[in-house]
Amino acid sequence: MEGAERRVGSMRIGVLTAGGDAPGLNAAIRAVALMALRDGHEVIGISNGWSGLADYTARPLKEQDLAGVVGLGGTLLGTARYDLDNPAGGRDRVLANIAEHLDGLVAIGGDGTQRISHWLAERGAPVVGVPKTLDNDLLGTDYCIGFDTAISIVAESLDRLYTTAASHHRVMVVETMGRSTGWVAALGGLAGGADLIVVPEFPLTMEDIIAHLVRRRSAGYGFSIVAVAEGVNLSTLGGTEAGELSTEGVRGVRLATRGVGHFVAKRIDEHGGFEVRTTVLGHLQRGGSPTAYDRIWATRVGAAAYEAAVEGTFGVIPLVRGAEIVLRPLEVVAGGQRRLPRELYDLCAAFF
Ligand code: F6P
């Protein structure tokens, strides 16, 4: 982690985005690439995450490639969920290609990506991470690229659903992203005035959910909006785990096919007395332009990653603590998920 001499004009810096896309990725790529180009370095854009590094699908980036991308969603490099261990040998090809082609690599991605970055750095590869996950559950950082945009979309969706729910006196169940944690449901729900938020960290039963809806109705509320994180445990709700395995990358369950939002809505409907509708926000939360906040912080963490690489400080990732950026070893983010804290959920619940 010790900083070495800053190398001006002599490095070949690769940049890649891996895992699910998120609004703000282009702002981070732009920060790394423009700063490097203006310092006279060469920048190599690796296509489609680790798969592009395994088979070395890459191209030099020029300043013109970065024009107008700060506010563009998606990733100009492409991304993929790619399993470097299946078929075996992917990691070794990545190590070999870094050694052959690059003096530094900035890997922008979530926990899966940063576990690979950490593995590579442990073997001497010159890798710096950048924190990205729309789910906001990377350990050790208060900021992950894409989360602010996602919760803004959730909040706007709840605003829109509120008017139709109120007009029809309905219960609206809204399923948000959040594979293992409830950050998107909770903070999107808080901003959008959700009347109940169901997250994996603080399980509720169907009885709890229905009792709350009955209470609200008795208190004179003709409608309710229930935000449910896609990763909520179905068995806690009285269902059985379901869902199709992804055919892409490390084969986790595709949560959208588990249908927790539809499950909750069906159970409320079966209880009787409520007219219920379901909205699955899905990839709308990942598409389109990043918020200004995501553009600014993606630029800041991208710039910090570039600075680390150019100073020869590898095996690290810039993390956000409060309003500060701190460089920490990659292993900090590689070991699990950051859970929604109790006090934040209690704050949400104060408005149910
Ligand atoms: O990990 C981020 C995430 O957006 C999750 O919230 C969601 O379950 C998953 O990606 C969806 O991935 P895919 O686009 O591969 O279906």
Side-chain angles (χ1 to χ4, degrees), residues 81 133-135 177-179 230 248 254-255 283 286:
R81 296 196 187 279
T133 167
L134 196 112
D135 292 354
M177 282 191 168
R179 168 162 281 275
E230 64 179 356
E248 213 186 335
R254 279 180 52 221
L255 291 189
H283 290 81
R286 285 217 326 234

Side-chain angles (χ1 to χ4, degrees), residues 146-210:
F147 174 66
D148 186 65
T149 307
I151 58 173
S152 304
I153 292 166
V154 172
E156 190 201 331
S157 304
L158 297 197
D159 290 348
R160 290 177 183 279
L161 290 167
Y162 164 75
T163 59
T164 172
S167 303
H168 283 269
H169 320 291
R170 284 175 173 163
V171 173
M172 292 289 186
V173 177
V174 186
E175 183 182 304
T176 72
M177 282 191 168
R179 168 162 281 275
S180 313
T181 57
W183 290 94
V184 178
L187 295 194
L190 178 65
D195 303 307
L196 184 62
I197 297 170
V198 190
V199 295
E201 289 91 335
F202 307 107
L204 297 177
T205 63
M206 271 320 302
E207 291 69 35
D208 297 328
I209 294 170
I210 289 167

Side-chain angles (χ1 to χ4, degrees), residues 68-312:
V69 305
V70 70
L72 220 57
T75 161
L76 67 93
L77 298 174
T79 188
R81 296 196 187 279
Y82 185 74
D83 187 353
L84 283 175
D85 300 315
N86 187 19
R91 291 180 191 240
D92 292 335
R93 281 185 287 134
V94 164
L95 268 177
N97 280 328
I98 294 174
E100 184 178 346
H101 299 286
L102 304 173
D103 303 309
L105 172 70
V106 176
I108 310 173
D111 59 336
T113 303
Q114 303 311 343
R115 272 194 289 279
I116 303 282
S117 302
H118 177 50
W119 186 91
L120 294 167
E122 279 187 324
R123 280 148 189 84
V127 184
V128 178
V130 170
K132 176 267 343 177
T133 167
L134 196 112
D135 292 354
N136 198 42
D137 55 7
L138 215 51
L139 280 172
T141 184
D142 295 335
Y143 172 74
C144 296
I145 294 174
F147 174 66
D148 186 65
T149 307
I151 58 173
S152 304
I153 292 166
V154 172
E156 190 201 331
S157 304
L158 297 197
D159 290 348
R160 290 177 183 279
L161 290 167
Y162 164 75
T163 59
T164 172
S167 303
H168 283 269
H169 320 291
R170 284 175 173 163
V171 173
M172 292 289 186
V173 177
V174 186
E175 183 182 304
T176 72
M177 282 191 168
R179 168 162 281 275
S180 313
T181 57
W183 290 94
V184 178
L187 295 194
L190 178 65
D195 303 307
L196 184 62
I197 297 170
V198 190
V199 295
E201 289 91 335
F202 307 107
L204 297 177
T205 63
M206 271 320 302
E207 291 69 35
D208 297 328
I209 294 170
I210 289 167
H212 183 69
L213 296 176
V214 169
R215 252 194 321 274
R216 274 182 54 81
R217 192 175 50 194
S218 311
Y221 294 103
F223 69 93
S224 291
I225 297 183
V226 182
V228 183
E230 64 179 356
V232 161
N233 193 318
L234 273 170
S235 42
T236 317
L237 296 171
T240 43
E241 285 305 327
E244 294 161 15
L245 280 185
S246 174
T247 49
E248 213 186 335
V250 183
R251 285 168 54 84
V253 170
R254 279 180 52 221
L255 291 189
T257 66
R258 265 169 96 241
V260 71
H262 286 292
F263 178 89
V264 168
K266 189 158 179 287
R267 288 296 165 97
I268 297 169
D269 193 42
E270 283 164 1
H271 172 269
F274 296 102
E275 190 65 27
V276 195
R277 297 291 185 271
T278 315
T279 304
V280 178
L281 292 176
H283 290 81
L284 286 173
Q285 296 158 98
R286 285 217 326 234
S289 298
T291 58
Y293 187 89
D294 260 326
R295 299 178 199 199
I296 292 163
W297 279 97
T299 299
R300 290 193 64 182
V301 287
Y306 165 70
E307 290 292 344
V310 85
E311 283 167 10

